[in-house]
Amino acid sequence: MTDDPAEARRSSPRSGRRLAMVLALCLVLGVGAGGFAWKREHDKASSQERLAVARLLALHAAELRDTDPVKARKLGAAAVALHADEQTRAGLTDTLLMWRRAHLAEPTPTGVQAMALSTDGRIALTKGTDGVSVFDLRTWLDLDITEKADRLAVLKGLEEVTAVALSADGRTALIGGDDGSAIVWDLTDPARPVRGTTLEGRAKGGAARKIALSGDGRTALVADDDGDLLVWNLADRSRPVRSSVIEAGHDGVQDLALSGDGRTAVTVGERGSTVVWNLADPKHPVRSADPAFPGSLTEALGMSGDGRIALVAGAERVRAWYLHNPAAPGETGGMDVPDVTQIALTPDGRRALLGTSLGDGFLWDLSRPARPVRLAALKGNTEDVNAVALSADSRVALMADPYRGIFLWDLHDLDRVMADPLGAMCSQAGGGDPLTREEWTRFAGDADWTRYGGDASGVLSVCSMR
């Protein structure tokens, strides 16, 4: 403080200026804080609206997937563009896979489908009205080829085909009939198959209900209606030897799986019981585990070619079991998928295809069997899946429907589509079909479409939404 009046007068303006500056700064900070708070609330509301609209569009896309897949694709893409999360990406992926589907074969009059696929996904066998058709799928899997190859050959010789099996390399086929017999075919040249010997069934044994081939085609299993399981040695195709007969009992054999080396088999009885068989000595099969998979009745069964993993479907859940010790299988995880009727696994057990009585197929990643991951759903034009097949690299899938026939899925770019379904769609010709103003209003409600890129022209490009 000073006693000099002149000095006081000189300092007074400076103090006033400092006070004004402080007040101005406070005002600026107050306005900025208020503006920041407003922006934060605005952004939060905008984000919540985007999420709500994305969920709504994804829901409508799922509802339209079977009846109007083009519109479902547009709505699903818009949902991903607005809010890309696991749910919206999975929905769009499932829709896009409908364009990876082809109709391979017509249904049979009886509705009973039988089919098999080589591990490389090249050769397929499908039951038809005149025998078993042999397909080379290479043209079916080449998107640049519009004219798909017809079947290469037809395997005849049985009045009614009941089951088919194929060796891993696609060179050996086994066709079962309603008289209990099974015919061995050499498919070294699939266009010119050579009929081999016939594996005769037991007297009054009934039809060959289920059959299986080892990966190298040297071991065959034939299960008949009486519940007997015939073990055949095909090392010499010209002189097959019936190694043994396993009496499965009154429960019969509803399903059957054989490991690639032919040393382990699993059977499912009519009442859902399961048994693991040790076939290391095919002349003296050993019942390793009975019941093999306790806990619920078995509706469907699948086993990896290496014999390490088995999938067992109950009414509501599919359980995964380790078979490192076939005498004491250990449960390791599972999937909550109801109504599973068919199961196919890759030879290494890392991926599985589940078919359901509702017409859906589900592809799962079993790299960590304790924590399976759903990859995609295969949908469209199927009402009840009664046969499935999957190539070793999971790039080719087959699903059979008793009313629609057999469908093929080309899944060669599935990993890319799952990682970025919107990018995969927009990179395709015609993939970015725009939404009209009418469609936006109908499916997105009262959300302001100009906020997301809609303009006066009446269209909104899903590939350039903001």
Side-chain angles (χ1 to χ4, degrees), residues 194-417:
V194 178
R195 178 171 174 168
T197 189
T198 299
L199 311 181
E200 298 293 345
R202 301 185 78 186
K204 299 181 180 180
R209 176 179 293 191
K210 296 289 182 179
I211 61 177
L213 268 176
S214 61
D216 58 8
R218 296 169 65 90
T219 300
L221 302 182
V222 180
D224 62 28
D225 277 341
D226 272 0
D228 293 331
L229 184 62
L230 284 62
V231 183
W232 290 87
N233 183 342
L234 303 183
D236 183 350
R237 306 293 170 82
S238 63
R239 295 181 179 180
V241 176
R242 191 170 72 189
S243 301
S244 57
V245 177
I246 299 174
E247 295 182 355
H250 299 295
D251 213 12
V253 177
Q254 172 185 306
D255 211 344
L256 172 66
L258 179 64
S259 61
D261 60 10
R263 297 170 65 89
T264 304
V266 182
T267 58
V268 179
E270 288 286 355
R271 299 176 186 175
S273 62
T274 52
V275 181
V276 176
W277 302 90
N278 183 341
L279 303 182
D281 180 358
K283 294 182 179 180
H284 303 93
V286 177
R287 190 185 295 255
S288 295
D290 181 10
F293 314 113
S296 64
L297 299 181
T298 299
E299 304 286 342
L301 166 75
M303 183 168 62
S304 59
D306 58 16
R308 294 166 59 88
I309 294 288
L311 294 185
V312 179
E316 299 292 335
R317 182 172 171 82
V318 179
R319 297 181 295 158
W321 294 77
Y322 278 128
L323 297 179
H324 298 94
N325 180 4
E331 187 172 358
T332 180
M335 298 150 279
D336 292 322
V337 183
D339 304 309
V340 171
T341 57
Q342 300 292 326
I343 301 175
L345 285 90
T346 54
D348 60 7
R350 296 176 68 86
R351 290 194 174 182
L353 176 60
L354 312 179
T356 75
S357 60
L358 302 178
D360 299 322
F362 298 98
L363 191 65
W364 285 79
D365 183 348
L366 301 179
S367 299
R368 300 172 63 188
R371 295 183 178 181
V373 177
R374 177 192 178 279
L375 297 177
L378 307 183
K379 297 175 177 287
N381 293 333
T382 47
E383 300 177 26
D384 178 11
V385 178
N386 62 0
V388 294
L390 190 63
S391 64
D393 58 9
S394 69
R395 293 187 173 192
V396 181
L398 298 180
M399 284 175 34
D401 178 284
Y403 313 106
R404 305 290 179 84
I406 298 176
F407 292 85
L408 175 150
W409 268 266
D410 177 3
L411 306 176
H412 76 277
D413 60 348
L414 176 60
D415 291 338
R416 180 179 71 89
V417 173

Side-chain angles (χ1 to χ4, degrees), residues 13-339:
R14 289 198 297 269
S15 299
R17 285 195 298 271
R18 283 197 298 270
L19 179 60
M21 291 175 62
V22 170
L23 291 175
L25 179 60
C26 290
L27 179 62
V28 169
L29 291 175
V31 172
F36 177 77
W38 177 87
K39 184 177 186 306
R40 182 175 59 188
E41 291 302 315
H42 178 270
D43 290 346
K44 181 178 179 181
S46 178
S47 177
Q48 290 175 341
E49 181 187 87
R50 291 179 71 91
L51 175 59
V53 174
R55 289 282 188 268
L56 186 60
L57 292 174
L59 177 62
H60 287 305
E63 293 172 341
L64 293 169
R65 188 173 292 130
D66 290 336
T67 58
D68 192 343
V70 173
K71 189 169 293 181
R73 181 174 62 181
K74 293 192 292 184
L75 297 179
V80 174
L82 290 176
H83 187 82
D85 61 11
E86 182 178 353
Q87 179 180 336
T88 57
R89 283 195 296 265
L92 180 56
T93 296
D94 292 348
T95 300
L96 294 180
L97 291 182
M98 297 184 71
W99 273 264
R100 306 296 199 278
R101 184 194 65 215
H103 190 216
L104 183 65
E106 295 294 332
T108 62
T110 62
V112 177
Q113 300 288 11
M115 65 184 189
L117 182 68
S118 60
T119 56
D120 62 4
R122 175 191 168 188
I123 300 298
L125 304 181
T126 67
K127 174 186 174 181
T129 57
D130 56 350
V132 175
S133 299
V134 182
F135 284 91
D136 185 337
L137 299 181
R138 286 179 294 183
T139 61
W140 291 79
L141 300 172
D142 191 332
L143 298 179
D144 294 329
I145 299 178
T146 56
E147 293 294 329
K148 306 304 182 183
D150 197 0
R151 58 187 183 179
L152 298 176
V154 181
L155 310 181
K156 299 177 178 290
L158 293 170
E159 183 174 344
E160 177 64 29
V161 173
T162 56
V164 301
L166 193 60
S167 61
D169 60 8
R171 292 174 176 267
T172 302
L174 186 64
I175 313 299
D178 61 352
D179 61 353
S181 67
I183 300 175
V184 181
W185 288 84
D186 183 348
L187 300 184
T188 301
D189 181 354
R192 297 177 178 80
V194 178
R195 178 171 174 168
T197 189
T198 299
L199 311 181
E200 298 293 345
R202 301 185 78 186
K204 299 181 180 180
R209 176 179 293 191
K210 296 289 182 179
I211 61 177
L213 268 176
S214 61
D216 58 8
R218 296 169 65 90
T219 300
L221 302 182
V222 180
D224 62 28
D225 277 341
D226 272 0
D228 293 331
L229 184 62
L230 284 62
V231 183
W232 290 87
N233 183 342
L234 303 183
D236 183 350
R237 306 293 170 82
S238 63
R239 295 181 179 180
V241 176
R242 191 170 72 189
S243 301
S244 57
V245 177
I246 299 174
E247 295 182 355
H250 299 295
D251 213 12
V253 177
Q254 172 185 306
D255 211 344
L256 172 66
L258 179 64
S259 61
D261 60 10
R263 297 170 65 89
T264 304
V266 182
T267 58
V268 179
E270 288 286 355
R271 299 176 186 175
S273 62
T274 52
V275 181
V276 176
W277 302 90
N278 183 341
L279 303 182
D281 180 358
K283 294 182 179 180
H284 303 93
V286 177
R287 190 185 295 255
S288 295
D290 181 10
F293 314 113
S296 64
L297 299 181
T298 299
E299 304 286 342
L301 166 75
M303 183 168 62
S304 59
D306 58 16
R308 294 166 59 88
I309 294 288
L311 294 185
V312 179
E316 299 292 335
R317 182 172 171 82
V318 179
R319 297 181 295 158
W321 294 77
Y322 278 128
L323 297 179
H324 298 94
N325 180 4
E331 187 172 358
T332 180
M335 298 150 279
D336 292 322
V337 183
D339 304 309

